Amino acid sequence: MVDVDMNTERSTDTARYPLASDDAEWRRRLSPQEYAVLRQAGTERAFTGEYWDDHTEGIYTCRACGTELFRSDEKFDSHCGWPSFFAPLAQDRVEYIQDRTFGMVRTEVRCAACGSHLGHLFEGEGYDTPTDQRYCINSISLRRVPKNDRAE
Ligand SMILES: [Zn+2]
């Protein structure tokens, strides 16, 4: 259910994230599908993930490191098949990387705490949201936790 598009820049950048782990540790902590998306910049197939059509209130944390990344308050129905947010919980929770795989220029969104791949950011698509941005995030990169009972 996961397409991997290997991002070759990834191997050199783990040292700069506060919650980074080495590759063996990620392989131990994550399922093979989680690893393929979070650590190899894979993409789960549209309409297959856990949260694309989820409307439960909560906080979405990084499935790799537990950092709070997005809130249900900024989630909206983009009908693209992946969980979509018009803004992160705070700008310092995510990092933006120019992604030139597949001959396209896209903006990759990573967890700023551990460097794991979350998805991509698209802008100016005309969605009726406050930012007209779409953080198109893999469900498998996230874990929803209740607002008043936060993980960690
Ligand atoms: Zn993380």
Side-chain angles (χ1 to χ4, degrees), residues 123-144:
E123 303 188 67
E125 297 175 309
Y127 286 106
D128 185 19
T129 62
T131 63
D132 200 12
Q133 293 182 316
R134 176 167 61 96
Y135 289 75
C136 181
I137 306 299
N138 291 281
S139 295
I140 204 168
S141 295
L142 301 172
R143 176 164 284 121
R144 195 194 62 233

Side-chain angles (χ1 to χ4, degrees), residues 62 64-65 111 114:
C62 174
C65 75
C111 171
C114 74

Side-chain angles (χ1 to χ4, degrees), residues 19 26 38 62-67 69 111-116 118:
L19 296 180
W26 287 128
L38 286 157
C62 174
R63 197 174 289 200
C65 75
T67 296
L69 299 175
C111 171
C114 74
S116 290
L118 304 173

Side-chain angles (χ1 to χ4, degrees), residues 45-129:
R45 290 190 193 279
F47 306 103
T48 65
E50 198 175 342
Y51 299 130
W52 72 271
D53 195 25
D54 181 87
H55 297 90
T56 311
E57 282 211 346
I59 304 278
Y60 292 86
T61 63
C62 174
R63 197 174 289 200
C65 75
T67 296
E68 296 179 349
L69 299 175
F70 295 96
R71 293 183 295 207
S72 53
D73 301 333
E74 286 83 32
K75 194 171 185 292
F76 70 101
D77 285 320
S78 68
H79 308 287
C80 70
W82 293 277
S84 299
F85 303 87
F86 62 78
L89 191 152
Q91 281 296 339
D92 64 359
R93 303 300 171 91
V94 295
E95 180 184 54
Y96 305 99
I97 307 278
Q98 194 176 78
D99 175 1
R100 291 178 170 276
T101 55
F102 294 120
M104 296 179 278
V105 180
R106 294 181 296 171
T107 303
E108 180 189 355
V109 182
R110 292 185 188 175
C111 171
C114 74
S116 290
H117 174 79
L118 304 173
H120 289 91
L121 170 63
F122 301 94
E123 303 188 67
E125 297 175 309
Y127 286 106
D128 185 19
T129 62

